Amino acid sequence: MTATATRVLVLNSGSSSVKYQLLDMNPDSGGGPAAGTRLAVGLVERIGEETSLLAHTPLATGGDKRETEGPIADHEAALKAVAAELSADGLGLDSPQLAAIGHRVVHGGLKFTAPTVIGDAVLAEIERLVPVAPLHNPANITGIRTAQALRPDLPQVAVFDTAFHTTMPEYAARYAIDVATADAHRIRRYGFHGTSHAYVSRKTAELLGKDPSEVNVIVLHLGNGASASAVAGGRCVDTSMGLTPLEGLVMGTRSGDIDPAVTFHLKRVAGMSEDDVDVLLNKKSGLVGLCGDNDMREIRRRIDEGDERAELAFDIYIHRLKKYIGAYTAVLGRVDAVAFTAGVGENAAPVRAAALAGLEEMGLAVDADLNAARSGEPRLISPEYARVAAAVVPTDEELEIAQQTYALVSA
Ligand code: AMP
């Protein structure tokens, strides 16, 4: 890395998509983690189809979003197309200013507790974890290999969704099943969205004017996927997702917690296959299964029109959230803040109000005006008298990945 290399490209590779951001980490901009200026953001969708779409916004030049439609055969072609877009703005991947590429990797198992420079052994371990993350890790690996081929000289860093949760005590991480079976198949609770939970819990401490080590926070990451975590003094002590992202809260299309016997029942009585059950619980359940919509805006609109199915779906979603807030209050003993984040958490005031309604005995309350105000900044929504702060803290997983990547390669 040269002295002028301050840029980080963040890649989030899915099975048929690549999201990317190029950030300048401005190391001279003051203390603390580098603030990060976004130079370009974009997305390649429907890789492998005739109608792939590349949407690129060159923020550095103030240019408009450029959209290109046409077949992009695979991840290699996608990354080459992204590189060409960046080059057109003078931000090419061949630039000596590029310090590293940071990859979001969904499953890091127990080995990876921190961001890691990717070498052959690291890649082999990420591959070894494919059986516990069959939907995500293969796409992440493809993204890494493609980026390595494009810039073999550059450090490639893996930032794991599971890393923040590796501090969970054994009694929170283990399922109460036969230990030998669990260990033979690496069955335990790993948790996901860790980059977001880490970022948001730290930002919440900042909002309270405290060091992360001084505060206990319940983070509610409510996006299309959703998870809760209990963070004590900056360390995760429990989280709602488990072996896979299926466990926990009601999500856009996932059921969250369910009696595992439902799956036997579906196979024995309803004649469904393993794959049918997988699709049912991951893609056709949650809000979409309950009412046909997974967008909270649409669900609220339907409730306003008196739609009972939408209302029941909302109530089930809120009931589960409340159970986790209660459980994590008990786990933490003392809670300083409940922080809402991600698409629903940041935008849906009715969800925040309903999730905390009736919890005054637990020190929680929502100020209606503060809750209704819209802002992209971290903010409190609780009245001053509330013993536990309620906050909206926008997440920024790409910035967190860039910061972790840059901190590692510039150390
Ligand atoms: P994410 O996965 O974090 O991008 O969150 C996506 C979800 O956020 C969508 O499916 C919507 O349910 C929700 N969402 C986004 N914007 C709003 C909004 N303005 N009001 C309510 N929900 C929203």
Side-chain angles (χ1 to χ4, degrees):
M1 192 176 97
T2 66
T4 53
T6 57
R7 292 178 186 164
V8 175
L9 177 69
V10 175
L11 288 181
N12 182 351
S13 306
S15 56
S16 65
S17 70
V18 177
K19 287 188 208 141
Y20 63 94
Q21 290 198 2
L22 181 69
L23 294 98
D24 195 310
M25 301 315 289
N26 311 321
D28 301 324
S29 63
T37 307
R38 281 184 176 76
L39 302 176
V41 302
L43 165 73
V44 189
E45 284 180 306
R46 303 193 293 270
I47 295 172
E49 295 179 29
E50 284 302 304
T51 59
S52 313
L53 177 75
L54 168 55
H56 175 85
T57 309
L59 301 170
T61 59
D64 290 333
K65 186 192 225 180
R66 301 195 291 266
E67 293 195 339
T68 323
E69 232 188 276
I72 296 180
D74 51 25
H75 281 71
E76 189 182 341
L79 209 53
K80 282 190 173 149
V82 170
E85 288 290 346
L86 289 166
S87 284
D89 302 315
L91 301 168
L93 295 189
D94 51 356
S95 164
Q97 285 172 276
L98 190 61
I101 299 181
H103 296 267
R104 175 187 183 214
V105 179
V106 168
H107 215 310
L110 288 181
K111 272 225 172 105
F112 298 115
T113 59
T116 306
V117 175
I118 304 166
D120 291 346
V122 171
L123 203 51
E125 181 61 23
I126 297 171
E127 243 173 336
R128 216 171 67 84
L129 288 161
V130 165
V132 282
L135 298 178
H136 296 99
N137 275 27
N140 301 155
I141 292 165
T142 307
I144 292 167
R145 288 230 166 88
T146 309
Q148 280 178 330
L150 224 54
R151 279 295 305 267
D153 55 316
L154 207 62
Q156 313 267 337
V157 174
V159 178
F160 299 93
D161 260 21
T162 45
F164 185 61
H165 303 304
T166 54
T167 52
M168 272 197 290
E170 205 58 10
Y171 55 75
R174 273 202 181 266
Y175 292 109
I177 64 171
D178 172 64
V179 170
T181 307
D183 288 352
H185 302 286
R186 285 177 289 173
I187 296 169
R188 59 186 285 123
R189 311 186 55 256
Y190 293 97
F192 299 89
H193 291 145
T195 313
S196 176
H197 288 281
Y199 179 84
V200 170
S201 56
R202 210 175 57 237
K203 279 276 165 191
T204 305
E206 211 174 274
L207 182 67
L208 301 181
K210 300 244 171 88
D211 190 80
S213 64
E214 298 173 314
V215 296
N216 291 348
V217 185
I218 297 174
V219 178
L220 302 171
H221 176 111
L222 310 178
N224 199 31
S227 62
S229 69
V231 183
R235 290 164 67 86
C236 177
V237 293
D238 206 350
T239 194
S240 60
M241 284 178 165
L243 174 75
T244 77
L246 184 55
E247 193 180 348
L249 300 173
V250 175
M251 310 183 208
T253 66
R254 296 187 194 119
S255 63
D257 294 336
I258 193 168
D259 182 342
V262 170
T263 61
F264 319 146
H265 189 79
L266 287 169
K267 283 192 257 177
R268 288 181 192 138
V269 178
M272 291 174 77
S273 70
E274 216 102 78
D275 286 349
D276 292 340
V277 176
D278 194 329
V279 169
L280 177 80
L281 296 181
N282 276 296
K283 301 246 163 74
K284 297 183 178 170
S285 296
L287 292 170
V288 95
L290 288 166
C291 74
D293 272 308
N294 61 338
D295 191 312
M296 195 52 82
R297 286 164 287 204
E298 186 57 18
I299 291 171
R300 290 302 312 174
R301 195 192 58 72
R302 285 172 55 186
I303 292 172
D304 289 344
E305 287 178 352
D307 185 320
E308 287 178 10
R309 259 181 80 200
E311 188 161 6
L312 180 59
F314 184 83
D315 290 347
I316 294 169
Y317 183 93
I318 296 296
H319 182 67
R320 185 80 53 84
L321 255 182
K322 277 199 154 133
K323 292 213 289 199
Y324 271 91
I325 294 168
Y328 287 174
T329 299
V331 164
L332 289 169
R334 186 203 82 226
V335 181
D336 297 293
V338 174
F340 291 86
T341 195
V344 175
E346 291 167 30
N347 296 298
V351 168
R352 299 190 297 255
L356 301 185
L359 303 187
E360 291 80 8
E361 288 290 325
M362 288 163 56
L364 281 157
V366 171
D367 178 294
D369 290 338
L370 292 176
N371 191 34
R374 295 194 68 83
S375 156
E377 294 298 313
R379 60 199 184 274
L380 292 176
I381 55 166
S382 44
E384 268 188 32
Y385 65 79
R387 194 159 37 80
V388 180
V392 180
V393 179
T395 194
D396 196 336
E397 290 167 279
E398 289 77 17
L399 177 60
E400 179 71 20
I401 292 171
Q403 284 175 339
Q404 291 194 15
T405 299
Y406 189 71
L408 187 65
V409 300
S410 62

